[in-house]
Amino acid sequence: MGLVEQAQGSRSRYQALADKTAYWLTIVAITVDSITFFVWLGLSDLVFAVNRTITVLVITCPHALG
């Protein structure tokens, strides 16, 4: 039981790398999403801009919705 507790309490290098990668993927997805929103808002109406924004967000990074 001690080994299980130790394994659950520690993190591997790969888990830390995956967390960093997921963080930066989220930042990039939200940035691209914001750019998409403002570009389409300038070119079209609000409903179309929101539609395209959500589409880009879901495609680029579904976990960014959370």
Side-chain angles (χ1 to χ4, degrees):
M1 288 195 305
L3 288 174
V4 172
E5 288 177 7
Q6 181 184 5
Q8 289 177 342
S10 65
R11 295 176 49 146
S12 70
R13 289 183 316 154
Y14 298 112
Q15 186 176 4
L17 179 63
D19 289 343
K20 286 181 184 179
T21 305
Y23 170 77
W24 284 109
L25 177 63
T26 302
I27 297 298
V28 168
I30 291 172
T31 302
V32 169
D33 189 52
S34 298
I35 292 169
T36 301
F37 175 74
F38 289 115
V39 167
W40 281 111
L41 187 61
L43 296 174
S44 187
D45 62 340
L46 179 64
V47 174
F48 192 78
V50 170
N51 187 354
R52 294 298 177 239
T53 301
I54 292 172
T55 301
V56 168
L57 185 61
V58 168
I59 290 171
T60 57
C61 190
H63 73 274
L65 287 170

